[in-house]
Short mmCIF file of all heavy atoms in Angstrom, two decimals:
data_model
loop_
_atom_site.label_atom_id
_atom_site.label_comp_id
_atom_site.label_asym_id
_atom_site.label_seq_id
_atom_site.Cartn_x
_atom_site.Cartn_y
_atom_site.Cartn_z
N GLY A 1 -8.02 11.05 -15.99
CA GLY A 1 -8.24 9.97 -16.94
C GLY A 1 -9.50 10.21 -17.75
O GLY A 1 -9.49 10.09 -18.98
N ALA A 2 -10.58 10.56 -17.09
CA ALA A 2 -11.84 10.85 -17.79
C ALA A 2 -11.68 12.06 -18.71
O ALA A 2 -12.14 12.04 -19.86
CB ALA A 2 -12.96 11.08 -16.78
N LEU A 3 -11.02 13.08 -18.21
CA LEU A 3 -10.81 14.29 -19.01
C LEU A 3 -9.97 14.00 -20.25
O LEU A 3 -10.34 14.38 -21.37
CB LEU A 3 -10.14 15.37 -18.16
CG LEU A 3 -9.88 16.70 -18.84
CD1 LEU A 3 -11.20 17.39 -19.18
CD2 LEU A 3 -9.04 17.59 -17.94
N PHE A 4 -8.85 13.31 -20.08
CA PHE A 4 -7.98 13.02 -21.22
C PHE A 4 -8.64 12.06 -22.21
O PHE A 4 -8.45 12.17 -23.41
CB PHE A 4 -6.65 12.43 -20.75
CG PHE A 4 -5.70 13.42 -20.15
CD1 PHE A 4 -4.53 12.98 -19.56
CD2 PHE A 4 -5.96 14.78 -20.14
CE1 PHE A 4 -3.63 13.88 -19.01
CE2 PHE A 4 -5.08 15.68 -19.58
CZ PHE A 4 -3.90 15.23 -19.01
N TYR A 5 -9.41 11.12 -21.71
CA TYR A 5 -10.07 10.15 -22.58
C TYR A 5 -11.18 10.80 -23.39
O TYR A 5 -11.31 10.57 -24.59
CB TYR A 5 -10.61 8.98 -21.75
CG TYR A 5 -11.24 7.89 -22.56
CD1 TYR A 5 -10.47 7.13 -23.45
CD2 TYR A 5 -12.59 7.61 -22.46
CE1 TYR A 5 -11.05 6.12 -24.21
CE2 TYR A 5 -13.16 6.61 -23.21
CZ TYR A 5 -12.40 5.87 -24.08
OH TYR A 5 -12.97 4.88 -24.83
N LYS A 6 -12.00 11.61 -22.74
CA LYS A 6 -13.15 12.23 -23.42
C LYS A 6 -12.77 13.49 -24.19
O LYS A 6 -13.26 13.70 -25.29
CB LYS A 6 -14.24 12.59 -22.38
CG LYS A 6 -14.79 11.41 -21.64
CD LYS A 6 -15.80 10.70 -22.46
CE LYS A 6 -16.43 9.60 -21.62
NZ LYS A 6 -17.23 8.70 -22.37
N LYS A 7 -11.95 14.34 -23.60
CA LYS A 7 -11.59 15.62 -24.22
C LYS A 7 -10.10 15.89 -24.04
O LYS A 7 -9.71 16.67 -23.18
CB LYS A 7 -12.39 16.75 -23.58
CG LYS A 7 -13.87 16.71 -23.86
CD LYS A 7 -14.57 17.82 -23.13
CE LYS A 7 -14.86 18.92 -24.12
NZ LYS A 7 -15.60 20.03 -23.53
N PRO A 8 -9.25 15.24 -24.85
CA PRO A 8 -7.82 15.51 -24.72
C PRO A 8 -7.53 16.98 -25.05
O PRO A 8 -8.31 17.61 -25.78
CB PRO A 8 -7.18 14.58 -25.75
CG PRO A 8 -8.27 14.12 -26.64
CD PRO A 8 -9.57 14.32 -25.92
N PRO A 9 -6.47 17.53 -24.49
CA PRO A 9 -6.12 18.92 -24.82
C PRO A 9 -6.03 19.08 -26.33
O PRO A 9 -5.46 18.25 -27.03
CB PRO A 9 -4.75 19.12 -24.16
CG PRO A 9 -4.70 18.09 -23.08
CD PRO A 9 -5.49 16.93 -23.59
N LYS A 10 -6.64 20.14 -26.85
CA LYS A 10 -6.75 20.32 -28.30
C LYS A 10 -5.41 20.62 -28.96
O LYS A 10 -5.16 20.16 -30.08
CB LYS A 10 -7.74 21.44 -28.60
CG LYS A 10 -9.14 21.12 -28.11
CD LYS A 10 -10.15 21.47 -29.14
CE LYS A 10 -11.55 21.22 -28.65
NZ LYS A 10 -11.96 19.86 -28.71
N THR A 11 -4.58 21.37 -28.30
CA THR A 11 -3.30 21.75 -28.93
C THR A 11 -2.13 21.22 -28.10
O THR A 11 -2.21 21.12 -26.88
CB THR A 11 -3.17 23.28 -29.06
OG1 THR A 11 -3.30 23.86 -27.77
CG2 THR A 11 -4.24 23.84 -29.98
N ILE A 12 -1.06 20.93 -28.80
CA ILE A 12 0.16 20.49 -28.13
C ILE A 12 0.73 21.68 -27.38
O ILE A 12 0.88 22.77 -27.94
CB ILE A 12 1.18 19.96 -29.17
CG1 ILE A 12 0.59 18.77 -29.92
CG2 ILE A 12 2.50 19.61 -28.51
CD1 ILE A 12 1.42 18.32 -31.11
N ASN A 13 1.04 21.47 -26.11
CA ASN A 13 1.59 22.56 -25.31
C ASN A 13 2.59 21.98 -24.33
O ASN A 13 2.64 20.77 -24.12
CB ASN A 13 0.46 23.30 -24.58
CG ASN A 13 -0.24 22.44 -23.57
OD1 ASN A 13 0.28 22.22 -22.49
ND2 ASN A 13 -1.42 21.92 -23.93
N SER A 14 3.37 22.84 -23.73
CA SER A 14 4.40 22.37 -22.79
C SER A 14 3.97 22.52 -21.33
O SER A 14 4.78 22.30 -20.44
CB SER A 14 5.70 23.13 -23.04
OG SER A 14 5.47 24.52 -22.87
N LEU A 15 2.72 22.89 -21.09
CA LEU A 15 2.27 23.11 -19.72
C LEU A 15 1.31 22.05 -19.21
O LEU A 15 1.32 21.73 -18.02
CB LEU A 15 1.58 24.48 -19.62
CG LEU A 15 2.46 25.69 -19.88
CD1 LEU A 15 1.64 26.96 -19.83
CD2 LEU A 15 3.59 25.75 -18.87
N TYR A 16 0.47 21.51 -20.06
CA TYR A 16 -0.63 20.67 -19.59
C TYR A 16 -0.81 19.47 -20.51
O TYR A 16 -0.87 19.61 -21.72
CB TYR A 16 -1.91 21.50 -19.57
CG TYR A 16 -3.18 20.73 -19.39
CD1 TYR A 16 -3.49 20.16 -18.17
CD2 TYR A 16 -4.07 20.57 -20.44
CE1 TYR A 16 -4.66 19.44 -17.99
CE2 TYR A 16 -5.24 19.87 -20.27
CZ TYR A 16 -5.53 19.30 -19.05
OH TYR A 16 -6.68 18.59 -18.89
N GLY A 17 -0.86 18.29 -19.92
CA GLY A 17 -1.12 17.10 -20.71
C GLY A 17 -0.02 16.07 -20.58
O GLY A 17 0.94 16.22 -19.83
N TYR A 18 -0.18 15.01 -21.37
CA TYR A 18 0.80 13.92 -21.42
C TYR A 18 1.89 14.37 -22.39
O TYR A 18 1.72 14.33 -23.61
CB TYR A 18 0.12 12.63 -21.89
CG TYR A 18 1.07 11.47 -21.98
CD1 TYR A 18 1.44 10.77 -20.84
CD2 TYR A 18 1.60 11.07 -23.19
CE1 TYR A 18 2.32 9.71 -20.91
CE2 TYR A 18 2.47 10.00 -23.28
CZ TYR A 18 2.82 9.33 -22.14
OH TYR A 18 3.70 8.28 -22.21
N ARG A 19 3.02 14.82 -21.84
CA ARG A 19 4.05 15.44 -22.65
C ARG A 19 5.31 14.58 -22.70
O ARG A 19 6.14 14.62 -21.79
CB ARG A 19 4.39 16.81 -22.08
CG ARG A 19 3.21 17.74 -22.06
CD ARG A 19 3.51 19.08 -21.40
NE ARG A 19 4.31 19.00 -20.20
CZ ARG A 19 3.83 18.89 -18.97
NH1 ARG A 19 2.56 18.81 -18.76
NH2 ARG A 19 4.63 18.85 -17.93
N THR A 20 5.45 13.82 -23.76
CA THR A 20 6.70 13.12 -24.03
C THR A 20 7.09 13.49 -25.46
O THR A 20 6.28 14.00 -26.23
CB THR A 20 6.54 11.59 -23.92
OG1 THR A 20 5.63 11.13 -24.91
CG2 THR A 20 6.05 11.17 -22.54
N SER A 21 8.34 13.22 -25.81
CA SER A 21 8.78 13.58 -27.16
C SER A 21 7.95 12.85 -28.22
O SER A 21 7.62 13.41 -29.26
CB SER A 21 10.27 13.30 -27.34
OG SER A 21 10.55 11.94 -27.13
N ARG A 22 7.59 11.61 -27.95
CA ARG A 22 6.80 10.83 -28.92
C ARG A 22 5.35 11.34 -29.00
O ARG A 22 4.78 11.42 -30.08
CB ARG A 22 6.82 9.35 -28.54
CG ARG A 22 6.31 8.45 -29.63
CD ARG A 22 6.43 6.99 -29.25
NE ARG A 22 7.79 6.53 -29.08
CZ ARG A 22 8.56 6.06 -30.05
NH1 ARG A 22 8.11 6.00 -31.28
NH2 ARG A 22 9.78 5.65 -29.81
N SER A 23 4.76 11.70 -27.88
CA SER A 23 3.36 12.16 -27.90
C SER A 23 3.23 13.56 -28.50
O SER A 23 2.16 13.92 -28.99
CB SER A 23 2.76 12.15 -26.50
OG SER A 23 3.30 13.16 -25.70
N MET A 24 4.29 14.34 -28.49
CA MET A 24 4.23 15.72 -28.97
C MET A 24 4.69 15.86 -30.43
O MET A 24 4.88 16.98 -30.90
CB MET A 24 5.06 16.62 -28.05
CG MET A 24 4.50 16.69 -26.64
SD MET A 24 5.51 17.61 -25.49
CE MET A 24 5.17 19.28 -26.02
N LYS A 25 4.81 14.76 -31.17
CA LYS A 25 5.25 14.83 -32.58
C LYS A 25 4.26 15.60 -33.44
O LYS A 25 4.66 16.39 -34.27
CB LYS A 25 5.42 13.42 -33.16
CG LYS A 25 6.56 12.63 -32.58
CD LYS A 25 7.87 13.06 -33.12
CE LYS A 25 8.96 12.17 -32.56
NZ LYS A 25 10.28 12.65 -32.88
N ASN A 26 2.96 15.31 -33.26
CA ASN A 26 1.92 16.00 -34.04
C ASN A 26 0.58 15.85 -33.32
O ASN A 26 0.50 15.22 -32.27
CB ASN A 26 1.86 15.47 -35.48
CG ASN A 26 1.58 13.98 -35.55
OD1 ASN A 26 0.69 13.48 -34.86
ND2 ASN A 26 2.32 13.28 -36.38
N GLU A 27 -0.45 16.42 -33.92
CA GLU A 27 -1.78 16.39 -33.30
C GLU A 27 -2.32 14.96 -33.15
O GLU A 27 -3.02 14.66 -32.18
CB GLU A 27 -2.77 17.25 -34.10
CG GLU A 27 -2.41 18.72 -34.17
CD GLU A 27 -2.48 19.43 -32.84
OE1 GLU A 27 -3.33 19.06 -31.99
OE2 GLU A 27 -1.68 20.35 -32.62
N GLN A 28 -2.02 14.08 -34.12
CA GLN A 28 -2.51 12.71 -34.05
C GLN A 28 -1.88 11.95 -32.88
O GLN A 28 -2.58 11.25 -32.14
CB GLN A 28 -2.21 11.96 -35.35
CG GLN A 28 -3.12 12.32 -36.49
CD GLN A 28 -2.76 11.52 -37.72
OE1 GLN A 28 -1.61 11.51 -38.16
NE2 GLN A 28 -3.75 10.83 -38.27
N THR A 29 -0.57 12.06 -32.72
CA THR A 29 0.10 11.36 -31.62
C THR A 29 -0.35 11.95 -30.28
O THR A 29 -0.51 11.22 -29.30
CB THR A 29 1.63 11.42 -31.74
OG1 THR A 29 2.05 12.79 -31.80
CG2 THR A 29 2.12 10.69 -32.98
N TRP A 30 -0.54 13.25 -30.25
CA TRP A 30 -0.98 13.95 -29.04
C TRP A 30 -2.35 13.43 -28.59
O TRP A 30 -2.54 13.04 -27.44
CB TRP A 30 -1.02 15.45 -29.33
CG TRP A 30 -1.45 16.34 -28.22
CD1 TRP A 30 -2.66 16.98 -28.10
CD2 TRP A 30 -0.69 16.74 -27.08
NE1 TRP A 30 -2.68 17.74 -26.97
CE2 TRP A 30 -1.48 17.62 -26.32
CE3 TRP A 30 0.59 16.44 -26.63
CZ2 TRP A 30 -1.05 18.20 -25.14
CZ3 TRP A 30 1.02 17.02 -25.44
CH2 TRP A 30 0.21 17.88 -24.71
N ALA A 31 -3.30 13.39 -29.52
CA ALA A 31 -4.65 12.93 -29.19
C ALA A 31 -4.64 11.44 -28.83
O ALA A 31 -5.30 11.02 -27.86
CB ALA A 31 -5.60 13.20 -30.36
N PHE A 32 -3.91 10.63 -29.59
CA PHE A 32 -3.85 9.19 -29.33
C PHE A 32 -3.30 8.92 -27.93
O PHE A 32 -3.86 8.14 -27.17
CB PHE A 32 -2.97 8.50 -30.37
CG PHE A 32 -2.78 7.04 -30.13
CD1 PHE A 32 -3.69 6.12 -30.62
CD2 PHE A 32 -1.70 6.57 -29.39
CE1 PHE A 32 -3.53 4.76 -30.39
CE2 PHE A 32 -1.52 5.22 -29.14
CZ PHE A 32 -2.44 4.31 -29.64
N ALA A 33 -2.19 9.57 -27.58
CA ALA A 33 -1.56 9.35 -26.28
C ALA A 33 -2.49 9.73 -25.14
O ALA A 33 -2.58 9.03 -24.13
CB ALA A 33 -0.25 10.13 -26.19
N HIS A 34 -3.21 10.83 -25.28
CA HIS A 34 -4.12 11.27 -24.21
C HIS A 34 -5.29 10.31 -24.05
O HIS A 34 -5.69 10.00 -22.93
CB HIS A 34 -4.61 12.70 -24.47
CG HIS A 34 -3.61 13.71 -24.06
ND1 HIS A 34 -2.57 14.09 -24.89
CD2 HIS A 34 -3.44 14.39 -22.92
CE1 HIS A 34 -1.83 14.97 -24.27
NE2 HIS A 34 -2.33 15.17 -23.06
N ARG A 35 -5.85 9.87 -25.16
CA ARG A 35 -6.96 8.91 -25.05
C ARG A 35 -6.47 7.60 -24.44
O ARG A 35 -7.15 7.00 -23.62
CB ARG A 35 -7.60 8.68 -26.41
CG ARG A 35 -8.56 9.80 -26.80
CD ARG A 35 -9.41 9.45 -27.99
NE ARG A 35 -8.64 9.22 -29.19
CZ ARG A 35 -8.23 10.16 -30.03
NH1 ARG A 35 -8.54 11.42 -29.78
NH2 ARG A 35 -7.53 9.87 -31.10
N TYR A 36 -5.29 7.16 -24.82
CA TYR A 36 -4.75 5.89 -24.33
C TYR A 36 -4.47 5.95 -22.83
O TYR A 36 -4.94 5.12 -22.06
CB TYR A 36 -3.49 5.52 -25.11
CG TYR A 36 -3.07 4.09 -24.94
CD1 TYR A 36 -3.51 3.12 -25.82
CD2 TYR A 36 -2.25 3.71 -23.89
CE1 TYR A 36 -3.15 1.79 -25.66
CE2 TYR A 36 -1.88 2.39 -23.72
CZ TYR A 36 -2.32 1.44 -24.62
OH TYR A 36 -1.95 0.12 -24.45
N ILE A 37 -3.69 6.95 -22.41
CA ILE A 37 -3.36 7.03 -20.99
C ILE A 37 -4.58 7.44 -20.17
O ILE A 37 -4.73 7.04 -19.01
CB ILE A 37 -2.16 7.96 -20.71
CG1 ILE A 37 -1.54 7.60 -19.35
CG2 ILE A 37 -2.55 9.43 -20.77
CD1 ILE A 37 -0.16 8.12 -19.13
N GLY A 38 -5.50 8.20 -20.77
CA GLY A 38 -6.72 8.57 -20.07
C GLY A 38 -7.54 7.34 -19.71
O GLY A 38 -8.05 7.23 -18.59
N LYS A 39 -7.66 6.42 -20.66
CA LYS A 39 -8.41 5.18 -20.39
C LYS A 39 -7.73 4.37 -19.30
O LYS A 39 -8.39 3.86 -18.39
CB LYS A 39 -8.52 4.36 -21.67
CG LYS A 39 -9.41 3.17 -21.57
CD LYS A 39 -9.54 2.48 -22.92
CE LYS A 39 -10.51 1.34 -22.87
NZ LYS A 39 -10.64 0.68 -24.17
N LEU A 40 -6.39 4.27 -19.36
CA LEU A 40 -5.65 3.53 -18.33
C LEU A 40 -5.82 4.17 -16.96
O LEU A 40 -6.09 3.49 -15.97
CB LEU A 40 -4.17 3.44 -18.69
CG LEU A 40 -3.79 2.52 -19.84
CD1 LEU A 40 -2.31 2.66 -20.16
CD2 LEU A 40 -4.14 1.09 -19.52
N TRP A 41 -5.65 5.49 -16.89
CA TRP A 41 -5.79 6.19 -15.61
C TRP A 41 -7.20 6.08 -15.06
O TRP A 41 -7.39 5.95 -13.85
CB TRP A 41 -5.40 7.65 -15.74
CG TRP A 41 -3.94 7.90 -15.56
CD1 TRP A 41 -3.00 7.03 -15.10
CD2 TRP A 41 -3.27 9.12 -15.83
NE1 TRP A 41 -1.78 7.65 -15.08
CE2 TRP A 41 -1.91 8.92 -15.51
CE3 TRP A 41 -3.68 10.35 -16.31
CZ2 TRP A 41 -0.96 9.93 -15.66
CZ3 TRP A 41 -2.73 11.35 -16.45
CH2 TRP A 41 -1.39 11.14 -16.13
N LEU A 42 -8.18 6.15 -15.92
CA LEU A 42 -9.56 6.06 -15.47
C LEU A 42 -9.81 4.72 -14.78
O LEU A 42 -10.31 4.68 -13.65
CB LEU A 42 -10.50 6.24 -16.67
CG LEU A 42 -11.98 6.22 -16.39
CD1 LEU A 42 -12.38 7.34 -15.44
CD2 LEU A 42 -12.74 6.37 -17.70
N TRP A 43 -9.44 3.63 -15.42
CA TRP A 43 -9.67 2.30 -14.84
C TRP A 43 -8.75 2.01 -13.67
O TRP A 43 -9.19 1.50 -12.64
CB TRP A 43 -9.55 1.22 -15.92
CG TRP A 43 -10.71 1.29 -16.86
CD1 TRP A 43 -10.68 1.75 -18.15
CD2 TRP A 43 -12.07 0.97 -16.59
NE1 TRP A 43 -11.95 1.71 -18.69
CE2 TRP A 43 -12.81 1.24 -17.74
CE3 TRP A 43 -12.73 0.48 -15.47
CZ2 TRP A 43 -14.18 1.02 -17.82
CZ3 TRP A 43 -14.10 0.27 -15.55
CH2 TRP A 43 -14.81 0.53 -16.71
#
């Protein structure tokens, strides 16, 4: 949670990160999804 919230994975990949079809649309959705779920997981 802390890792995804502070430093989401820089590039979309199929190995590491929050990988759903919606989160992998582009870099903006990728970063948004990681920060969002990172904050939830952290708390």
Side-chain angles (χ1 to χ4, degrees):
L3 181 66
F4 285 174
Y5 183 65
K6 299 280 186 191
K7 292 177 102 177
K10 298 224 183 280
T11 57
I12 299 171
N13 65 78
S14 59
L15 296 176
Y16 168 71
Y18 180 79
R19 300 176 318 269
T20 64
S21 59
R22 193 176 295 272
S23 71
M24 295 175 75
K25 292 283 183 189
N26 59 45
E27 298 294 327
Q28 284 181 306
T29 57
W30 180 255
F32 176 87
H34 280 84
R35 280 192 298 275
Y36 195 92
I37 202 163
K39 188 175 184 179
L40 288 174
W41 273 349
L42 182 60
W43 289 107

